[in-house]
Amino acid sequence: EIVLTQSPATLSLSPGERATLSCRASQSISIYLAWYQQKPGQAPRLLIYDAFKRATGIPARFSGSGSGTDFTLTISSLEPEDFAVYYCQQRSNWPPWTFGQGTKVELK
Amino acid sequence: EVQLVESGGGLVQPGGSLRLSCVASGFTFSDFWMSWVRQAPGEGLEWVATIKQDGNEKYYVDSVKGLFTISRDNAENSLSLHMNSLRAEDTAVYYCAREVRDGSGFDIWGQGTMVTVSS
């Protein structure tokens, strides 16, 4: 089973700042990685799939990069609505499909 | 509008059974792999089960193998999850989700249905 490790667990930032979230896989997953945003009481929302492809309707301030074992989600300039929990998920070596434990982006 | 709507959650005693349903609209349901993903209170996301477009391939997380059954009815645009021998650790919000066509990720999610296993 591929384990995804996200860091940091919590990121404390202010609106307008740049957020850099990391996801590391326990073995190579090529580019088969997705990123999600989840707000309290809501379902997750797909932001990025195949490591760098933005999902429909996702603003350009969200970008994904990486391949193999190391991946990054970057939010170029935080908007108030971006404070949430972010998860990565792999679909390379399946089953199982696995998720990271999440990174919370909180208001500083 | 592309939409998934779950139903069937509720309170069930340990050892009991429950059937979750998910109705799809706004897209060609039979074209997509479909999955169930759960989230225990205050916890992260956990993939539960996935079914191929024609229903001939099904996959489960180890903890539910032999206990849960995923199925679909493409004529009715519906996805189901039959859950047997429920345990307290199955308590979670259960989401149905559509897989990205030819890609990695779940691009459409339902609003979720809460399952509570407790005596």
Side-chain angles (χ1 to χ4, degrees):
Chain A
E1 173 178 329
I2 293 177
V3 177
L4 299 178
T5 302
Q6 292 187 240
S7 61
T10 304
L11 201 50
S12 299
L13 295 168
S14 301
E17 289 193 292
R18 183 183 189 90
T20 303
L21 288 67
S22 173
C23 178
R24 178 164 289 178
S26 57
Q27 64 189 78
S28 177
I29 57 171
S30 185
I31 62 165
Y32 300 118
L33 187 98
W35 290 95
Y36 302 87
Q37 176 193 70
Q38 189 179 33
K39 297 179 182 179
Q42 296 185 16
R45 176 172 74 142
L46 179 67
L47 301 174
I48 302 289
Y49 67 99
D50 290 352
F52 60 88
K53 298 174 184 177
R54 257 191 309 277
T56 303
I58 300 304
R61 65 180 181 273
F62 291 93
S63 63
S65 63
S67 64
T69 60
D70 290 301
F71 299 85
T72 301
L73 174 69
T74 301
I75 310 171
S76 59
S77 179
L78 281 164
E79 296 288 339
E81 62 268 27
D82 298 337
F83 292 93
V85 179
Y86 292 83
Y87 294 95
C88 58
Q89 175 245 327
Q90 69 85 21
R91 197 202 190 274
S92 172
N93 203 355
W94 53 272
W97 287 246
T98 50
F99 290 87
Q101 81 280 15
T103 289
K104 182 179 182 180
V105 177
E106 67 174 21
L107 191 58
K108 186 174 181 180
Chain B
E1 181 190 3
V2 174
Q3 201 172 7
L4 297 170
V5 178
E6 300 100 334
S7 60
L11 175 63
V12 60
Q13 291 191 339
S17 299
L18 210 56
R19 177 180 178 266
L20 305 183
S21 296
C22 171
V23 176
S25 59
F27 66 97
T28 304
F29 181 71
S30 58
D31 282 352
F32 293 87
W33 290 68
M34 296 295 298
S35 297
W36 289 96
V37 176
R38 67 184 178 184
Q39 186 169 35
E43 301 295 323
L45 301 168
E46 180 184 36
W47 167 77
V48 175
T50 290
I51 187 168
K52 196 180 175 182
Q53 292 97 324
D54 59 8
N56 287 337
E57 291 182 38
K58 303 176 184 182
Y59 302 96
Y60 301 91
V61 67
D62 284 348
S63 60
V64 309
K65 279 180 184 174
L67 302 176
F68 290 10
T69 302
I70 189 172
S71 61
R72 66 190 297 162
D73 183 337
N74 287 340
E76 298 291 328
N77 294 331
S78 69
L79 177 73
S80 296
L81 185 68
H82 294 255
M83 304 185 294
N84 294 321
S85 302
L86 284 160
R87 302 160 293 188
E89 52 264 39
D90 297 316
T91 294
V93 175
Y94 285 72
Y95 297 100
C96 69
R98 186 183 85 171
E99 288 223 18
V100 172
R101 198 202 311 251
D102 299 326
S104 53
F106 301 110
D107 63 346
I108 304 296
W109 295 67
Q111 83 287 354
T113 187
M114 182 71 203
V115 172
T116 303
V117 183
S118 174
S119 55

